[in-house]
């Protein structure tokens, strides 16, 4: 997809570099440097912000510009957001010879803050410009170095005609006060100039109180923790070691401050790291003491010791392995419920406090119903959760940079777990389609080598209805592995591409395995785009069809159709002649009813006539095949010339359920999609976003707002130099499209290019299974209402079933207001399941569009 550029913002301490010539864009030494800024679409600055000169934190000269705007917390305003902004035309508009923009920022508040910037030319809208973002911790500074040359090229901006610089922030958590200074333009051979000594001194003064308070915070925190742990000798011993480490880091912070030079630029990060370490210790202590309460009932091997804890988490939680532990459930037993043919998962988290553990694994026994009926352990996977390392804050923000859980390492079943690490195991339960309903019970064991260290009760409830073999919602999703090099990796990745073991090449050795794995996650082996080396793989598509697992697939991409004879001739050879054999082949194989044709990706208004001509031509040449687009017509053809389109696909925030209902009466469909946008508060599936978001989007939000399908541009942008062949801490590069983590990449390549899912992909499927529950109950309600006899017989059930079909606001109130609580999602899902089971009649099977099979 053509999406907005959001580039890496390098936060550099450049004090040691040689002074070089640079072009000053703004230095805020003159009042005129402040007077050029105004609100968008206005000539004056709005009252929601102030811009003033300040003698503090001048990165050069005497003054900086101080931006102030009041706090805005959406939760206090019904979810409404606020984006204080100001913009202006820079005094230099020809940036063609520059490759970087440098800016000094200082956050003087006690809350984290963020500042974003759009830069655009006179021909493009502001929000189609190059975008940049800087995240600032409490009382911290950043020297932001923004790579503008590639950003302008990617957005097709004219660097000789820079018209607008648009600064904005989003929902300041506390009153914002940020000093901005020294905006410089640098040519490729110019270094970032050093900062003045006075700047270092003021930064040191800004951070002195926090640094001095740090020692007292550490002392008080550990005193409180020792009091809490006074009855646990093992916990007290562990706390003593943790306090010694924290005090060592406090001493290092004081040393940095005492130097009074560029070293002070690292103080805020160190203070934050120590505070995080202390909070981590406190959360670990809570887990330690909580598990001590259940330890006597679950510990099998006394030598496992009191220094190991085991907790449970849902599949909707991301357990950071080295950055604090969430409120894991410490209990004697674990429970899952699922339909026949469904997969549902939980996580077991093992955390050693005092010593490394070797060969840790999780094993499950066969489960049995009260009458002896068996649920085989072969239907339960117990594999490692893998971790990927982020190295920068992405454009959508993140509270943590470092190790994140993402790939599920299906090829690994045991791991050595280092002291202090929280290692998660993914327990995936699959109920066969013919599994008898009921509650099955057995044991879940945590092993060290061949020894059972802990044993927990495990129960699995199987419902008496089945989820479908194919997605209950039509899909248009690309799986076409490729990379996306950034300027600093282009040369390396060009070399990697020559290797058959580079992930984007290695996967081809296991094409059928990938097609199977994707089908397991309700995705068809497909592509939205017209790659030169791609065509529908009719062998795999026919096989999936014969197995009853084929969803929708694309015959090929199309662009706009121009006017005139030359355009018509080019269209015939480039589009019609290319798609015609595929159309005939799909018809021959009996799979044409699964086909669609996608194109005119995110086309703007000036392309609308060409989009209409293209859609009209395609409908004439390929009757019966839906024509779909993400063209930016938010009226879905109601108020534009595009009348021949079958399926519209807006970004989720642009989805209008009322208008969609109107155009459906004309025989059209309205899908929705996500890509590198939207960002919060809307759901997306980045590595750092809560896993609940994928499940809510595909489940409750789809049920409540009823798009006709879901589109996603790519799930296999891989930039890693090699496949994942070990773990749990992997070398897999989480960077996917530009500087995003996981956008366009929901899969990973395992050993030799074999398929691996991610936590995000699992939650995507779980959401669709939730939606299948909804559509199943909806079909049963319709069946009862269609029969006067059944309606009278089941009137009480019908009332309750209809209530269950009302997606509660507590789960999703709007596209921007929804829960991140797994328990709320489970309550919603359980209510649907209970209504289906209470009907006392067989549940229907669903077609690929979610409608019941009759």
């Amino acid at each position: 997809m053509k999406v907005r550029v959001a580039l890496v913002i390098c936060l550099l301490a450049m004090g040691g570099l040689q002074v070089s010539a640079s072009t000053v864009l703004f230095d805020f030494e003159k009042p005129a440097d402040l007077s050029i800024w105004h609100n968008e679409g206005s000539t004056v600055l709005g009252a929601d912000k102030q811009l003033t000169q300040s003698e503090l934190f001048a990165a050069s000269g005497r003054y900086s510009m101080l931006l102030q705007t009041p706090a805005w917390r959406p939760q206090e305003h019904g979810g409404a957001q606020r984006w204080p902004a100001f913009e202006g035309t820079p005094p230099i508009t020809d940036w063609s010879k520059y490759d970087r923009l440098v800016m000094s920022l200082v956050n003087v508040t006690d809350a984290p803050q963020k500042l974003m910037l759009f830069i655009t030319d006179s021909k493009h809208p502001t929000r189609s410009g190059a975008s940049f973002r800087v995240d600032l911790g409490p009382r911290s500074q950043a020297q932001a170095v923004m790579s503008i040359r590639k950003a302008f090229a990617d957005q097709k901006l004219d660097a000789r005609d820079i018209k607008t610089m648009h600064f904005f922030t989003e929902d300041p958590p506390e009153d914002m006060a940020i000093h901005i200074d020294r905006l410089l333009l640098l040519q490729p051979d110019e270094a970032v100039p050093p900062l003045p000594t006075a700047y270092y001194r003021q930064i040191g003064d800004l951070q002195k109180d926090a640094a001095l308070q740090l020692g007292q915070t550490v002392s008080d925190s550990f005193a409180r923790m020792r009091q809490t742990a006074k009855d646990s000798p093992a916990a007290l011993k562990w706390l003593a070691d943790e306090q010694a480490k924290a005090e060592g880091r406090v001493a290092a912070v004081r040393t940095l401050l005492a130097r009074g030079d560029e070293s002070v630029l690292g103080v805020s990060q160190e203070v934050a790291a120590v505070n995080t370490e202390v909070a981590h210790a406190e959360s670990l202590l809570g887990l330690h003491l909580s598990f001590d309460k259940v330890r006597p009932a679950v510990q099998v091997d006394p030598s496992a010791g009191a220094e190991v804890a085991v907790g449970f988490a849902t599949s909707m939680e991301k357990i950071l392995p080295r950055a604090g532990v969430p409120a894991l459930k410490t209990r004697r037993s674990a429970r899952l419920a699922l339909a026949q043919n469904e997969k549902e998962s939980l996580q077991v988290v093992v955390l050693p406090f005092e010593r490394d553990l070797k060969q840790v694994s999780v094993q499950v026994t066969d489960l049995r119903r009260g009458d002896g009926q068996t649920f085989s352990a072969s239907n339960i996977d117990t594999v490692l959760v893998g971790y990927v390392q982020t190295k920068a804050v992405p454009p959508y923000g993140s509270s943590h940079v470092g190790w994140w859980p993402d790939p599920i390492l299906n090829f690994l079943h045991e791991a050595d777990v280092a002291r202090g690490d929280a290692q998660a195991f993914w327990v995936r339960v699959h109920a066969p389609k013919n599994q008898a309903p009921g509650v099955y019970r057995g044991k879940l064991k945590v092993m060290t080598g061949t020894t059972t260290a802990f044993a927990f009760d495990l129960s699995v409830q199987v419902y008496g209805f089945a989820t479908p073999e194919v997605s209950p919602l039509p899909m248009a999703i690309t799986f076409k592995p490729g990379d996306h090099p950034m300027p600093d990796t282009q040369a390396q990745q060009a070399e990697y591409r020559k290797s058959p073991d580079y992930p984007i090449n290695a996967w081809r050795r296991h094409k059928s395995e990938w097609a199977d794995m994707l089908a397991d996650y309700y995705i068809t082996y497909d592509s939205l785009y017209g790659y030169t080396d791609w065509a529908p793989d009719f062998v795999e598509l026919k096989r999936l069809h014969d197995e009853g697992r084929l969803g929708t697939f694309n015959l090929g991409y199309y662009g706009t159709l121009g006017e005139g004879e030359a355009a018509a001739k080019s269209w015939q050879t480039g589009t019609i002649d290319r798609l015609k054999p595929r159309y005939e082949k799909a018809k021959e194989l009996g799979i044409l009813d699964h086909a669609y044709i996608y194109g005119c990706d995110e086309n703007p208004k000036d392309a609308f006539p060409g989009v209409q001509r293209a859609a009209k031509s395609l409908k004439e040449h390929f009757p019966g095949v839906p024509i779909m687009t993400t063209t930016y017509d938010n009226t879905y053809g109601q108020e534009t010339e595009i009348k021949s389109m079958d399926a519209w696909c807006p970004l989720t925030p642009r989805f209008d359920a009322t208008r969609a209902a109107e155009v459906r009466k004309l025989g059209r469909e309205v899908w929705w999609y996500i890509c590198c946008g939207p960002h919060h508060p809307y759901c997306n599936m980045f590595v750092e976003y809560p896993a609940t978001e994928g499940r809510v989007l595909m489940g409750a939000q789809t049920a409540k707002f009823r798009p006709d399908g879901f589109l996603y541009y790519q799930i296999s942008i891989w930039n890693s130099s090699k496949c994942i062949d070990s773990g749990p801490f992997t070398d897999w590069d989480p960077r996917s499209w530009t500087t995003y983590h996981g956008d366009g990449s929901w899969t990973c390549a395992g050993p030799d290019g074999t398929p691996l899912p991610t936590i995000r992909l699992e939650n995507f499927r779980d959401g669709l299974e939730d939606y299948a529950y909804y559509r199943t109950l909806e079909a049963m309600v319709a069946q009862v209402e269609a029969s006067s006899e059944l309606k009278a017989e089941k009137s009480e059930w019908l009332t309750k079933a209809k209530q269950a079909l009302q997606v509660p606001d507590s789960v999703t109130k709007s596209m921007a207001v929804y829960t991140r609580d797994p328990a709320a999602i489970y309550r919603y899902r359980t209510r649907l399941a209970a209504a289906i089971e209470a009907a006392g009649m067989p549940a229907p099977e669903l077609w690929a569009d979610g409608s019941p099979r009759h």
Side-chain angles (χ1 to χ4, degrees):
M1 302 239 133
K2 296 176 291 183
V3 278
R4 287 183 194 135
V5 173
L7 298 181
V8 170
I9 302 202
C10 304
L11 307 181
L12 304 174
M14 305 301 294
L17 290 180
Q18 179 182 356
V19 177
S20 65
S22 54
T23 301
V24 177
L25 193 62
F26 292 104
D27 210 18
F28 306 110
E29 298 300 302
K30 305 181 294 296
D33 287 344
L34 280 71
S35 63
I36 75 154
W37 305 106
H38 51 79
N39 274 19
E40 187 175 16
S42 175
T43 59
V44 297
L45 192 68
D48 61 331
K49 70 196 80 72
Q50 289 183 324
L51 298 175
T52 56
Q53 274 185 320
S54 170
E55 292 187 342
L56 292 174
F57 307 108
S60 64
R62 181 179 176 183
Y63 299 105
S64 65
M65 180 175 72
L66 175 61
L67 162 65
Q68 293 174 286
T69 189
W72 183 265
R73 304 179 188 93
Q75 63 271 27
E76 298 173 3
H77 301 276
Q81 292 188 280
R82 179 169 288 179
W83 296 273
F86 58 95
E87 66 177 37
T89 300
I92 300 170
T93 57
D94 184 353
W95 294 20
S96 57
K97 64 182 180 180
Y98 306 107
D99 69 337
R100 285 159 294 156
L101 171 67
V102 180
M103 178 170 56
S104 172
L105 300 170
V106 180
N107 172 23
V108 297
T109 73
D110 292 321
Q113 305 284 1
K114 54 182 176 284
L115 187 68
M116 285 78 79
L117 170 64
F118 281 115
I119 303 173
T120 190
D121 61 19
S122 62
K123 297 181 180 62
H124 290 79
T126 297
R127 285 153 190 79
S128 295
S131 63
F132 307 89
R133 170 178 173 142
V134 183
D135 287 86
L136 294 156
R139 292 182 171 266
S140 69
Q141 66 80 43
Q143 300 303 309
V145 182
M146 293 163 272
S147 300
I148 55 175
R149 181 163 290 177
K150 185 176 187 299
F152 292 171
D154 286 348
Q155 298 305 102
K156 297 181 174 57
L157 303 179
D158 185 351
R160 300 164 299 178
D161 176 38
I162 298 305
K163 176 72 172 177
T164 303
M165 297 180 70
H166 180 93
F167 288 91
F168 67 103
T169 189
E170 177 185 56
D171 302 331
E174 303 294 343
D175 291 350
M176 173 185 265
I178 290 181
H179 291 260
I180 305 171
D181 199 28
R182 202 180 70 164
L183 276 70
L184 305 176
L185 291 170
L186 299 182
Q187 297 184 44
D189 58 345
E190 292 176 342
V192 179
L195 294 160
T197 301
Y199 181 89
Y200 295 138
R201 185 176 64 251
Q202 290 174 1
I203 293 296
D205 291 343
L206 174 70
Q207 296 168 343
K208 187 177 296 181
D209 288 347
L212 292 175
Q213 179 62 34
L214 190 62
Q216 191 63 48
T217 298
V218 168
S219 177
D220 292 348
S221 297
F222 278 95
R224 182 176 64 251
M225 285 187 266
R226 285 196 301 274
Q227 179 63 27
T228 302
K230 62 183 179 181
D231 298 325
S232 174
L236 288 171
K237 179 177 180 299
W238 172 76
L239 280 174
D241 291 342
E242 293 300 303
Q243 183 170 359
K245 287 193 299 181
E247 289 173 342
R249 296 194 72 168
V250 171
V253 167
R254 290 173 177 163
T255 299
L256 288 178
L257 267 180
R259 291 176 62 176
D261 56 16
E262 67 269 20
S263 300
V264 301
L265 303 183
V267 168
S268 62
Q269 290 93 331
E270 281 300 305
V271 170
V274 175
N275 283 323
T276 297
E277 203 169 84
V278 172
H280 186 196
E282 196 146 14
S283 68
L284 292 180
L285 176 63
L287 177 63
H288 198 309
L289 299 179
S290 176
F291 187 66
D292 281 349
K293 295 177 183 178
V294 301
R295 187 187 302 277
V298 299
Q299 187 159 337
V300 176
D301 177 17
S303 68
E307 69 276 7
V308 179
V310 178
F312 292 94
T314 70
S315 58
M316 291 176 268
E317 293 165 273
K318 294 185 179 181
I319 311 302
L320 297 175
R322 291 176 175 169
V325 175
L328 296 172
K329 305 297 184 186
T330 52
R331 52 177 57 146
R332 301 179 183 186
S333 61
R335 176 184 177 276
L336 277 178
L338 71 168
Q340 296 157 331
N341 200 44
E342 187 179 9
K343 295 183 176 71
E344 187 70 22
S345 305
L346 59 81
Q347 295 181 80
V348 179
V349 183
V350 179
L351 200 153
F353 293 93
E354 289 292 334
R355 59 185 174 89
D356 298 347
L357 292 182
K358 301 294 184 183
Q359 295 180 291
V360 181
S361 65
V362 171
Q363 296 181 12
V364 176
T365 65
D366 285 344
L367 311 179
R368 287 185 170 79
R369 211 167 57 175
D371 61 0
Q373 177 77 33
T374 299
F375 189 107
S376 173
S378 64
N379 293 314
I380 304 176
D381 300 323
T382 55
V383 296
L384 287 180
V385 172
Y387 305 101
V388 294
Q389 187 175 24
T390 65
K391 297 180 179 178
V393 176
Y396 44 87
S398 174
S399 60
H400 171 66
V401 174
W403 291 103
W404 281 88
D406 196 44
I408 298 176
L409 307 181
N410 289 337
F411 65 98
L412 285 179
H413 300 273
E414 70 173 32
D416 297 339
V417 185
R419 173 185 182 272
D421 282 357
Q423 177 60 53
F425 291 81
W426 196 263
V427 180
R428 184 192 298 113
V429 178
H430 174 219
K433 199 167 186 177
N434 61 354
Q435 186 73 46
V439 177
Y440 298 80
R441 294 182 171 85
K443 289 290 185 180
L444 182 152
K445 299 182 288 185
V446 175
M447 313 288 293
T448 53
T450 58
T451 302
T452 301
F454 303 96
F456 303 83
D457 293 329
L458 174 65
S459 66
V460 171
Q461 180 180 2
V462 180
Y463 298 129
F465 62 93
T467 55
E469 293 285 355
V470 292
S471 171
L473 182 73
M475 296 283 152
I477 295 178
T478 299
F479 174 80
K480 176 68 171 64
D483 55 10
H484 188 97
M486 293 293 286
D488 58 334
T489 64
Q490 282 180 345
Q492 280 182 318
Q493 290 184 256
E495 287 300 311
Y496 294 156
R497 288 175 188 161
K498 300 173 185 177
S499 169
D501 296 323
Y502 190 37
I504 67 171
N505 299 323
W507 76 275
R508 297 178 187 279
R509 299 193 284 259
H510 305 277
K511 183 180 64 174
S512 290
E513 291 176 57
W514 276 101
D516 280 334
M517 191 273 269
L518 294 171
D520 285 345
Y521 288 88
Y522 285 151
I523 295 171
T524 297
Y525 175 38
D526 189 23
S527 174
L528 292 169
Y529 303 106
Y531 299 104
T532 55
D533 63 342
W534 177 87
D537 190 322
F538 286 108
V539 172
E540 295 297 338
L541 296 176
K542 182 63 165 64
R543 176 175 68 82
L544 292 171
H545 177 265
D546 292 347
E547 294 170 358
R549 299 198 297 155
L550 179 62
T552 51
F553 69 92
N554 188 19
L555 289 180
Y557 184 84
Y558 68 92
T560 57
L561 170 55
E563 292 185 282
E565 186 177 338
K569 184 176 180 180
S570 175
W571 172 261
Q572 179 67 40
T573 57
T575 300
I576 303 303
D577 293 349
R578 174 171 51 91
L579 300 185
K580 193 69 172 178
R582 302 174 184 179
Y583 175 83
E584 298 298 340
K585 184 68 174 178
K587 183 188 293 186
E588 174 194 332
L589 295 175
I591 60 175
L592 187 62
D593 57 337
H594 292 259
Y596 64 91
I597 301 174
Y598 173 78
C600 292
D601 186 278
E602 295 184 334
N603 280 199
K605 186 175 181 179
D606 59 8
F608 286 6
V611 174
Q612 164 59 19
R613 287 189 292 268
K616 185 174 184 294
S617 173
L618 290 167
K619 288 179 71 66
E620 291 169 354
H621 285 89
F622 307 112
V625 178
I627 313 302
M628 181 163 59
T629 188
T630 51
T631 287
Y632 291 145
D633 178 358
N634 295 319
T635 75
Y636 315 145
Q638 282 190 307
E639 299 173 14
T640 72
E641 62 267 56
I642 308 177
K643 303 301 182 186
S644 297
M645 193 63 63
D646 294 309
W648 296 93
C649 192
L651 201 68
T652 49
R654 297 284 188 179
F655 181 85
D656 184 330
T658 301
R659 193 181 285 274
E662 293 171 356
V663 301
R664 285 191 191 109
K665 296 174 184 177
L666 303 174
R668 303 170 191 162
E669 293 185 345
V670 183
W671 295 33
W672 66 24
Y673 77 98
I674 58 174
C675 53
C676 69
H679 297 177
H680 282 160
Y682 299 96
C683 290
N684 212 313
M685 292 179 61
F686 308 131
V687 167
E688 296 92 341
Y689 271 16
T692 48
E693 294 190 20
R695 188 159 187 168
V696 166
L697 175 66
M698 304 312 300
Q701 289 194 345
T702 296
K704 189 160 194 166
F705 302 109
R706 301 308 289 269
D708 293 304
F710 174 82
L711 179 148
Y712 195 72
Y713 78 109
Q714 173 60 290
I715 60 170
S716 51
I717 299 175
W718 299 336
N719 287 301
S720 286
S721 61
K722 65 186 187 69
C723 299
I724 299 175
D725 57 10
S726 62
F729 294 90
T730 74
D731 295 328
W732 189 260
D733 188 349
R735 185 188 64 78
S736 49
W737 180 79
T738 67
T739 57
Y740 284 64
H741 298 136
D743 173 65
S745 182
W746 301 353
T747 58
C748 302
D752 193 51
T754 49
L756 291 180
T758 60
I759 290 175
R760 294 169 295 129
L761 186 59
E762 293 267 339
N763 277 274
F764 171 84
R765 177 177 62 194
D766 289 344
L768 286 168
E769 289 171 336
D770 294 348
Y771 183 57
Y773 282 31
Y774 184 94
R775 293 302 302 270
T776 298
L777 180 58
E778 186 179 58
M780 296 173 80
V781 166
Q783 183 179 346
V784 170
E785 287 190 318
S787 165
S788 56
E789 183 179 342
L790 284 175
K791 195 171 182 179
E793 177 189 336
K794 298 182 179 296
S795 60
E796 184 177 346
W797 173 86
L798 192 59
T799 299
K800 291 181 179 179
K802 286 182 175 181
Q803 290 172 349
L805 288 174
Q806 300 303 308
V807 180
D809 286 351
S810 60
V811 177
T812 185
K813 184 176 182 179
S814 69
M815 295 300 292
V817 180
Y818 50 88
T819 188
R820 291 191 174 97
D821 178 12
I825 296 170
Y826 279 137
R827 285 194 295 270
Y828 161 67
R829 176 176 175 274
T830 300
R831 188 181 182 190
L832 293 172
I836 294 169
E837 297 228 294
M841 54 191 282
E845 291 189 44
L846 302 179
W847 290 105
D849 63 355
S851 61
R853 294 174 184 255
H854 295 296

